[in-house]
Amino acid sequence: MKAESKSNYEVAMVGLDLTEMDDRIIAYLSVLVKALPLKRIIFVHVADKLELPAEIVDKYPDLLAPLDENIADGISQKVSAFFEDSDIQHDIIVQEGSPLETFLRLSKIKNVDLVILGRKKNLKGSGLLSGHIVRKSPTSILFVTETFNPTLKKVLIPVDFSQHSILCLDVAGKLKQHGGVDIHFSHLYNVPLGYYKTGKSHDEFAKIMKGHAMNDMKQFLNQHDVKEEYPCEYILSEDRPKAHMINKYAHDSGMDMILIGSRGRTTSSALMIGSIVEKVLLIDPDIPILVVKNHGENMGFFEAFMNI
């Protein structure tokens, strides 16, 4: 298959916020490493301030150890059990500053292939980063949910015949090759508003549109040299929100992860994420979502952002 850029998905950067969500993310790594050939994992915590007030230091001299070292020790204790029988290299970084800016900077400096963050539903805290990092990050981002299946066997790719669908296929190929994951497609199609002018019923024209979608899928896969056949669910979306349709099918069919491609920069250089991606992220707090990006596609924005 052809794609603009292929990531090895060997270096991951994990965002931790020192809440219970960290335990969920670390637990999910034991699932992820069976499906991706990760060689290095970088754990990052960004604090607003790493200095203790002078009056606290005077009153409690035992706290003189730098706060960043204390935090790093705490993270090390959490992750050490995970790496006992693992050959994966790991590092811990604790820094002061803006989470968004720090993650963007580190993802470039460390040549990160994949950023891993938590998505909270009921746990305390607002989460490490907002959706801004999805729009601005130059690399793919995996959102780990509070609840997830302990195995990664079924992955859904919503296909819209774009280049980003091919990038998702490239990642899915790695999941399949390394972890034996089953890949499933979904494609949303509509009946045009003026169908009644043809003299055909709604159901009749829906069958015609589904046939066109199936032909388009074959041409799309052939165009990109995708030889393997994957099951595809063709979903008549009508006026129903597309994100909800994707979410419903993923839940009904027992998917363990959703792979969905983001939109890069537009011709006007404005960065945006596909509206469907954004809405799926908002409405689905249960299934982990991997937002796949063409590695470095937002790097022009990154350079401008860091020079502000």
Side-chain angles (χ1 to χ4, degrees):
M1 65 186 67
K2 299 176 182 178
E4 293 176 0
S5 175
K6 296 183 179 182
S7 170
N8 292 325
Y9 279 75
E10 294 179 350
V11 181
M13 185 168 68
V14 179
L16 302 178
D17 65 355
L18 308 185
T19 69
E20 188 180 344
M21 190 69 220
D22 293 353
D23 298 324
R24 311 292 173 88
I25 296 174
I26 294 169
Y28 191 75
L29 288 177
S30 62
V31 176
L32 190 65
V33 295
K34 297 175 183 177
L36 282 178
L38 293 174
K39 295 182 178 179
R40 183 185 181 196
I41 300 177
I42 306 167
F43 297 91
V44 177
H45 173 72
V46 182
D48 291 333
K49 278 190 174 183
L50 288 172
E51 293 183 0
L52 293 171
E55 58 271 21
I56 296 295
V57 175
D58 291 340
K59 188 173 182 179
Y60 303 99
D62 291 339
L63 295 179
L64 285 178
L67 188 58
D68 58 340
E69 293 183 10
N70 288 333
I71 294 174
D73 287 342
I75 293 174
S76 180
Q77 292 177 17
K78 281 191 174 186
V79 305
S80 58
F82 171 80
F83 288 99
E84 281 182 356
D85 302 317
S86 174
D87 295 329
I88 300 174
Q89 177 186 350
H90 74 282
D91 304 287
I92 298 171
I93 298 176
V94 178
Q95 291 192 0
E96 180 179 285
S98 160
L100 176 60
E101 181 178 339
T102 301
F103 265 74
L104 289 173
R105 176 170 49 83
L106 287 176
S107 65
K108 180 184 178 184
I109 293 173
K110 301 297 182 180
N111 197 24
V112 170
D113 301 310
L114 176 66
V115 170
I116 302 174
L117 302 173
R119 289 200 64 241
K120 295 180 179 179
K121 179 180 180 182
N122 298 312
L123 293 178
K124 293 182 179 180
S126 59
L128 180 68
L129 295 172
S130 70
H132 293 302
I133 193 171
V134 183
R135 302 185 188 97
K136 299 173 181 177
S137 172
T139 191
S140 300
I141 304 176
L142 170 62
F143 290 89
V144 178
T145 53
E146 292 181 19
T147 57
F148 51 82
N149 291 335
T151 59
L152 181 54
K153 292 299 182 184
K154 296 177 66 176
V155 170
L156 175 66
I157 302 178
V159 177
D160 63 356
F161 308 141
S162 69
Q163 183 63 31
H164 282 81
S165 293
I166 290 298
L167 294 174
C168 287
L169 278 174
D170 179 47
V171 176
K174 292 177 174 64
L175 293 171
K176 186 176 181 65
Q177 180 181 10
H178 189 76
V181 174
D182 292 330
I183 308 302
H184 298 256
F185 293 164
S186 68
H187 175 73
L188 304 177
Y189 68 98
N190 292 299
V191 173
L193 293 176
Y195 74 89
Y196 59 89
K197 296 180 181 179
T198 66
K200 296 185 179 298
S201 69
H202 182 277
D203 289 343
E204 288 174 330
F205 218 88
K207 290 180 180 179
I208 293 173
M209 295 306 297
K210 181 178 179 180
H212 277 290
M214 295 174 72
N215 288 332
D216 288 343
M217 179 70 77
K218 290 180 181 178
Q219 293 178 15
F220 177 72
L221 297 178
N222 288 336
Q223 178 185 356
H224 293 281
D225 298 328
V226 179
K227 304 300 183 184
E228 188 163 358
E229 293 187 5
Y230 298 104
C232 180
E233 182 72 13
Y234 294 89
I235 303 171
L236 180 60
S237 62
E238 299 289 36
D239 294 329
R240 292 169 288 184
K242 292 179 172 59
H244 285 274
M245 299 301 296
I246 293 171
N247 178 59
K248 182 179 185 303
Y249 175 69
H251 278 276
D252 292 347
S253 53
M255 295 297 166
D256 301 314
M257 180 187 286
I258 299 174
L259 261 64
I260 192 163
S262 77
R263 305 295 186 189
R265 76 175 71 190
T266 65
T267 53
S268 61
S269 298
L271 290 172
M272 60 180 294
I273 187 172
S275 60
I276 295 178
V277 179
E278 204 163 51
K279 290 173 183 175
V280 169
L281 287 171
L282 288 173
I283 67 175
D284 197 333
D286 299 315
I287 300 177
I289 297 173
L290 175 53
V291 181
V292 178
K293 291 199 170 193
N294 187 6
H295 192 71
E297 69 181 348
N298 291 353
M299 197 59 72
F301 171 85
F302 174 83
E303 300 291 354
F305 180 86
M306 297 308 296
N307 288 327
I308 293 176

